[in-house]
């Protein structure tokens, strides 16, 4: 994840294309937290969309099946040494300077940055948000003195109808070809910007090339991938054997519903997520094993009436199903 985040950010600095930041953001908020245990003492070398038991699937290289286990180290040691760079690499590139003496917001999250803009005027910018667990980013802009310079904001590619307010006034959002909205104006101490990125829960379908093009369905919300959690018990390598996860998504009527709660004071990606999505799913006869964890080759018939299942952000679930089989029409 660290390497991917680095590569996409490096390309972003050269090409200026917002879609590269979209990719890095999705990796950061999904694969990033899943890489490490909640106490940050163990990590995996590999991760897969579905993990129902420890040491599965058996990868063809590196530590193979053991790479799926949370351990203190893995051989080769590159991931053990690099994984702690995921967070600082994202944070240190949340804001960048532009060639026209302005500043650009590339990644979103709570932060404070001091920089020079215009004719080397010191500017402090403070962002307050629970993004990506909510849709709003509040930004305070405080130049040392009034100065004219551009501020640009990345409009996420998944967001169809962004809204931006400057000092409480709705302003027209016109992203450029690279996906950034640019505002060149006289900025004054105490100016504010509010970004609102409406998120919509959606089902994404595809075919798994690693399982003879088996059909699958996944649920996303903004930049977050969602999963059905299989609770871990004594550690991140021990799933709850009583957990029920043999479901197929009902694509005819997924009936997705977003459920919000208060953000905790301390966030360690628990199963009790403040953001959940309930979905309509059908119990199915699906029994993958550690040796053959693949999706079923075709859509499955239901074994009973549809049920509602609670999905949480992918990064919260050490065992999970995020690529679901598809139910028969």
């Amino acid at each position: 994840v660290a390497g991917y985040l680095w590569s996409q950010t490096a390309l972003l600095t050269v090409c200026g294309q917002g879609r590269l930041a979209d990719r890095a953001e999705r990796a950061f908020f999904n694969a990033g937290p899943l890489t490490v245990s909640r106490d940050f003492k163990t990590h995996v070398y590999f991760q897969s969309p579905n993990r129902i038991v420890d040491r599965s699937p058996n990868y063809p290289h590196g530590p193979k099946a053991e790479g799926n286990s949370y351990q203190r180290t893995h051989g080769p040691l590159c991931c053990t040494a690099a994984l702690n760079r995921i967070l600082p690499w994202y944070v240190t590139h949340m804001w960048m300077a532009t060639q026209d003496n302005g500043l650009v917001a590339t990644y979103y999250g709570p932060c404070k940055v001091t920089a020079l803009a215009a004719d080397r005027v010191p500017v402090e910018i403070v962002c307050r948000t629970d993004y990506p667990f909510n849709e709003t980013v509040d930004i305070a802009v405080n130049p040392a003195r009034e100065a004219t310079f551009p501020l640009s904001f990345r409009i996420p590619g998944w967001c169809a109808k962004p809204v931006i307010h400057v000092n409480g006034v709705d302003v027209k959002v016109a992203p450029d070809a690279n996906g950034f909205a640019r505002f060149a104006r006289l900025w004054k101490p105490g100016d504010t910007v509010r970004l609102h990125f409406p998120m919509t829960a959606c089902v994404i379908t595809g075919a798994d090339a690693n399982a003879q093009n088996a059909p699958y369905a996944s649920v996303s919300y903004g930049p977050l991938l969602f999963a059905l959690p299989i609770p871990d018990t004594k550690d991140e390598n021990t799933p709850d054997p009583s957990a029920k996860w043999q479901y197929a998504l009902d694509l005819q009527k997924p009936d997705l519903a977003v459920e919000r709660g208060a953000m905790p004071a301390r966030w360690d990606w628990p199963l009790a997520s403040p953001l959940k999505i309930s979905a309509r799913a059908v119990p199915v006869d699906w029994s993958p094993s550690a040796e053959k964890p693949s999706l079923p080759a075709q859509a499955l018939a239901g074994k009973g009436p549809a049920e509602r299942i609670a999905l949480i952000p992918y990064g919260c679930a050490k065992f999970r199903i995020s690529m679901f089989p598809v139910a028969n029409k």
Side-chain angles (χ1 to χ4, degrees):
V1 179
Y4 183 81
L5 186 61
W6 174 85
S7 66
Q8 298 305 300
T9 303
L11 289 170
L12 172 64
T13 63
V14 174
C15 303
Q17 296 177 355
R19 63 187 179 89
L20 299 168
D22 289 345
R23 294 175 184 173
E25 175 187 74
R26 191 164 174 85
F28 178 77
F29 286 125
N30 296 289
L34 197 69
T35 302
V36 294
S37 59
R38 298 183 185 92
D39 60 9
F40 216 92
K41 292 182 178 180
T42 59
H43 74 98
V44 293
Y45 191 88
F46 298 118
Q47 58 178 288
S48 60
N50 295 346
R51 184 181 186 234
I52 56 174
V53 293
D54 187 26
R55 301 191 181 192
S56 176
N58 186 18
Y59 298 87
H61 57 279
K64 297 190 176 181
E66 289 190 0
N68 190 264
S69 295
Y70 286 86
Q71 300 177 15
R72 294 184 66 86
T73 61
H74 286 279
L77 291 171
C78 52
C79 286
T80 303
L83 67 88
N84 65 337
R85 292 189 286 180
I86 297 172
L87 184 60
W89 191 262
Y90 183 92
V91 171
T92 56
H93 292 85
M94 295 173 77
W95 286 84
M96 298 184 186
T98 57
Q99 293 181 342
D100 53 3
N101 298 321
L103 300 170
V104 55
T106 53
Y107 302 136
Y108 295 112
C111 67
K112 179 171 74 174
V113 62
T114 55
L116 299 177
D119 54 346
R120 299 188 64 79
V121 176
V123 181
E124 179 186 84
I125 295 177
V126 179
C127 298
R128 292 183 172 86
T129 183
D130 289 331
Y131 181 93
F133 300 99
N134 69 23
E135 304 169 330
T136 302
V137 183
D138 287 313
I139 302 172
V141 183
N142 286 297
R145 57 177 173 81
E146 295 183 4
T148 299
F149 58 90
L151 285 182
S152 298
F153 305 94
R154 177 177 62 88
I155 306 302
W158 49 260
C159 183
K161 296 181 179 180
V163 178
I164 299 181
H165 290 88
V166 177
N167 294 331
V169 178
D170 188 4
V171 295
K172 183 179 179 180
V173 181
D176 61 22
N178 287 327
F180 290 87
R182 182 178 182 272
F183 301 94
R185 65 188 300 275
L186 178 67
W187 295 98
K188 303 177 181 179
D191 281 348
T192 61
V193 178
R194 167 166 281 194
L195 310 175
H196 182 63
F197 299 134
M199 301 180 187
T200 302
C202 61
V203 176
I204 299 171
T205 59
D208 186 0
N210 295 312
Q212 293 76 50
N213 291 320
Y216 72 86
S218 295
V219 176
S220 289
Y221 185 69
L224 293 172
L225 173 66
F226 276 71
L228 176 65
I230 301 172
D232 47 291
T233 53
K234 64 179 182 180
D235 57 33
E236 288 82 1
N237 293 322
T238 308
D240 181 352
S242 66
K244 185 178 179 181
W245 47 264
Q246 294 90 345
Y247 291 100
L249 283 186
D250 184 349
L251 299 187
Q252 299 304 302
K253 189 179 179 182
D255 194 18
L256 304 179
V258 178
E259 302 173 6
R260 294 185 180 277
M263 286 293 293
R266 181 178 180 276
W267 177 250
D268 61 358
W269 295 83
L271 292 179
S273 170
L275 180 62
K276 298 179 180 179
I277 294 177
S278 64
R280 192 170 184 266
V282 179
V284 292
D285 186 12
W286 176 37
S287 301
S289 64
E291 293 75 23
K292 294 183 178 181
S294 299
L295 289 165
Q298 56 192 6
L300 298 177
K303 291 177 59 179
E307 302 177 19
R308 295 205 65 79
I309 58 174
L311 310 179
I312 63 175
Y314 174 85
C316 296
K318 304 309 179 184
F319 293 94
R320 71 253 157 208
I321 301 294
S322 67
M323 288 177 67
F324 287 88
V326 174
N328 274 333
K329 296 181 181 180

